[in-house]
Amino acid sequence: MLHNLRQLVRYRGLIQSLVARELKARYRGSVLGFFWSFINPLLLLSIYSFVFTFVLPSRPTDLEPYALFLFCGILPWTWFSSSLAESSQVLIAGGNLIKKVLFPAEVLPIVTVLANMVHFFLGLPILFLFILYYRHAVLTASEILWLPAVIAVQLVMTLGLALFLSAITVHFRDVKDILGNLLTFWFFATPIIYPMDVAPAVGRQLLNLNPVTHLAISYQEILFYPGPFGHWRWLLATAAASCALFLAGYFVFDRLRDSFAEEV
Amino acid sequence: MNAIDVANVTKIYRRYGQKRQFATLKSAMLRGSVIADLKPEETFAAVRNVSFRVATGTTFGIVGRNGSGKSTILKMVAGITKPTSGRVTVDGRISALIELGAGFHPEISGRENVFINGIMLGLSKREVARRFDEIVEFAELRDFIDAPVKTYSSGMYMRLGFAVAINVDPDVLLIDEVLAVGDEAFTHKCLDKFGEFRRRGKTILLVTHSLALVERFCDEALWLEAGEVRAAGDPKRVVGAYITDVEKSEEEHLAATNARAREAADQGSVPGEAEQTSEEGAASAPEEIPANMFRAGEGRWGSRELEIVDVQFTGDSGRIAHIFHTGEPLSIRLKVRASRPSTDFVFGIGIFNADGSCCYGTNTGLEELTSEEWSGDGEVVFGIESLDLVEGTYKVDVAVHKRDGYPYDYHRMLYSFRVKSRTKDVGIYRPRHRWTFSPNIRFRTMPL
């Protein structure tokens, strides 16, 4: 396993070009092309803003502007959830490669996660524009410096889950159906559309067990709430959990690796 | 020095039965474990205890029928699948031409695909850039290299895949029946490229159904049958043994087909039907018999006062056969019986190719043999000294009838034989021939 992990470094050229291909191919043939990466989060944001401003307007006042609060959570969540949804299919879709070419299979889920990360990065400028637009001038340098760390933790966690899901979906095709529902549930079990402090005490404890909670809160603290970044202890714990998750995911993937060529 | 060492390799696949087909997470969890449930009858050995070595710089061919495990071995050598037991060792960089263009993305251009495919096959970006022109040149796709791959024809797709794979510059090249993709000119180019590989001391492992290629091209060959090695060593000998075996089973197949056709005809000849056809036959003048032959389908009819009891094909040694080579002798032997003595009888023979065209038809009447007397059992032999037909399966009519065409026993296309030929010439008839050229017109003997 460790040997294979070290091999990953050798594939960085391959991963790089596959991510580039993924991004190019995604919007090939569409009129707006790459702009969809900006437009999609914008549209999503306007839908949520509309619903929570006009349809369900009741919420605490410290959440103004609410659209911004939402955006801080939804943008990373989109990266997380589409990475998982896509990577659960990716080995089956890439069956030809696995069956007919000597190809490092782990490259496929990794490429999926990274391609979605690039979309996340493309959404970030819009988020910053919103922060400027609302003059929500709470960005301090010391807080912003935490942002790469949060992103790194999320990357490691997503990679671990993506590897795990892609490997077991080869054996159990039901995973993709389960996953769709699970992700919907997970979305509401994460403080994205509501702040952590509206949850009752028991619920809060349960939410704390969800690692994505701490990612969402970290993003919100850094980008939305004023004041110093106070969630760093939780973030460090989440980082440790993410590393464990990654190793576990890779371990499962590595164990099942030899069966892919036959089962895909 | 061995480039490839396959030692006692077995590969067991799971067989997907009705039960396993809908295996789900739930059922696996309910039953505890997936692997433990596998009984021997749910597995099947695609390759069993196969060992061979390929010396560095040689070309090794694997032949065998569909499903004999050839491609499984190739995949194990390529490292795509792992053997269930045994060991495969390969020395040097491998390039596997198993599926050409696997991993091409249809939406992006040929140019980008060449780069990504090259990197997938183990080249660096700079190496691909250096070989790019050569690759495009080889694939003959200069004008289309910037078009998305989804617009390519399948030939273009394969050519590009081949060009990338061959330009990876491997030490060991694995080829799985990929020469069938291109047109004639491209196939020659590929063969030239393989020749170049050999000259540069690279190792080639070739899986193919083209036996001529194995004989011409390989230093050693292996014949695989149902996952086991049947013969290995000198390619001529291995291919010879393989061809003999294939002919034997084709032989059996043809014999069974003939027996079945005959049986069906015997059962199907209900009196009414026979009556009708015989009336038709009786009504027509003797010259019109060929016309009648073209109209009728396969079957048997006639009054059977004079009967053809059995039909056999024999070759030069006199043994019964169904497969002949162009130019060999063939005898059609009829066992005949007259239930009452007769003075009015004509024997006829017709040979038809797969299209139903009559290749040859004759009878004793046309050849001005006038019947005099026949009683009891006897034998009629139609001897062909040299079977000058092109490759194909042929059907035979045999008949005995009256001079006016009234059928005693008519067997319509009930018997088949096969003609094989190493020359893939076309048409029906191969006249004995020879080419002669003035000295200033020269031909190359085969290049490899």
Side-chain angles (χ1 to χ4, degrees), chain A residues 13-18 20-22 24-25 28-29 96-104 168 171-175 178 257-258 261-263, chain B residues 11-14 16 20 23-26 28 34 75 78-82 96 98-99 102-105 107-109 112-113 116 119-121:
Chain A
L14 176 59
I15 293 174
Q16 205 183 341
S17 30
L18 283 176
R21 178 182 85 170
E22 198 60 41
K24 264 183 211 158
R28 186 60 55 98
N96 227 4
L97 279 179
I98 292 166
K99 271 196 280 202
K100 305 290 168 80
V101 184
L102 183 55
F103 185 83
I168 64 162
H171 288 269
F172 304 106
R173 306 286 159 115
D174 338 36
V175 169
I178 300 172
R257 176 194 302 276
D258 290 344
E262 287 154 39
E263 300 284 340
Chain B
K11 177 76 190 179
I12 294 173
Y13 279 119
R14 274 157 60 177
Y16 283 89
R20 283 279 311 144
T24 59
L25 195 54
K26 190 193 81 189
V34 198
K75 279 188 190 175
I80 296 168
T81 52
K82 299 265 180 305
I98 292 180
E99 177 144 322
F104 277 175
H105 195 298
E107 291 288 342
I108 64 176
S109 71
E112 288 161 305
N113 269 311
I116 288 175
I119 291 168
M120 274 183 199
L121 296 175

Side-chain angles (χ1 to χ4, degrees), chain A residues 66-141:
Chain A
Y66 183 64
L68 188 57
F69 172 80
L70 257 183
F71 208 22
C72 293
I74 283 183
L75 206 57
W77 172 260
T78 309
W79 169 23
F80 179 76
S81 65
S82 24
S83 292
L84 295 194
E86 284 170 32
S87 60
S88 70
Q89 309 273 5
V90 79
L91 289 187
I92 295 161
N96 227 4
L97 279 179
I98 292 166
K99 271 196 280 202
K100 305 290 168 80
V101 184
L102 183 55
F103 185 83
E106 61 267 52
V107 165
L108 292 174
I110 291 175
V111 164
T112 306
V113 174
L114 291 181
N116 277 297
M117 184 173 79
V118 173
H119 284 117
F120 169 69
F121 284 158
L122 290 172
L124 280 182
I126 296 186
L127 178 60
F128 284 117
L129 280 179
F130 263 80
I131 293 173
L132 289 180
Y133 172 79
Y134 284 116
R135 302 189 194 292
H136 206 78
V138 289
L139 297 178
T140 60

Side-chain angles (χ1 to χ4, degrees), chain A residues 244-258:
Chain A
L245 208 57
F246 177 79
L247 289 176
Y250 196 81
F251 176 76
V252 171
F253 191 94
D254 206 48
R255 284 298 294 271
L256 294 175
R257 176 194 302 276
D258 290 344

Side-chain angles (χ1 to χ4, degrees), chain B residues 32-81:
Chain B
S33 160
V34 198
I35 311 296
D37 281 352
L38 287 180
K39 295 180 195 71
E41 64 260 34
E42 284 172 334
T43 64
F44 118 98
V47 170
R48 222 171 307 156
N49 298 324
V50 170
S51 302
F52 63 90
R53 289 199 173 106
V54 182
T56 305
T58 61
T59 302
F60 193 93
I62 302 181
V63 296
R65 279 166 238 233
N66 288 335
S68 59
K70 305 185 297 290
S71 298
T72 305
I73 287 198
L74 213 60
K75 279 188 190 175
M76 287 191 286
V77 173
I80 296 168
T81 52

Side-chain angles (χ1 to χ4, degrees), chain B residues 275-349:
Chain B
E275 205 62 29
Q276 202 182 358
T277 12
S278 67
E279 264 168 27
E280 210 175 277
S284 49
E287 307 90 89
E288 277 174 22
I289 286 171
N292 176 25
M293 281 187 354
F294 288 116
R295 238 185 295 133
E298 79 181 40
R300 183 180 181 186
W301 60 84
S303 60
R304 306 266 179 103
E305 299 143 81
L306 303 177
E307 194 183 2
I308 298 169
V309 185
D310 195 20
V311 179
Q312 288 176 342
F313 303 120
T314 58
D316 46 2
S317 60
R319 82 194 149 76
I320 296 171
H322 297 87
I323 297 191
F324 302 89
H325 293 265
T326 301
E328 279 182 358
L330 158 68
S331 296
I332 303 173
R333 295 175 177 273
L334 316 180
K335 289 222 162 32
V336 292
R337 178 178 300 146
S339 43
R340 60 166 178 75
S342 171
T343 53
D344 181 2
F345 52 88
V346 174
F347 292 105
I349 292 281

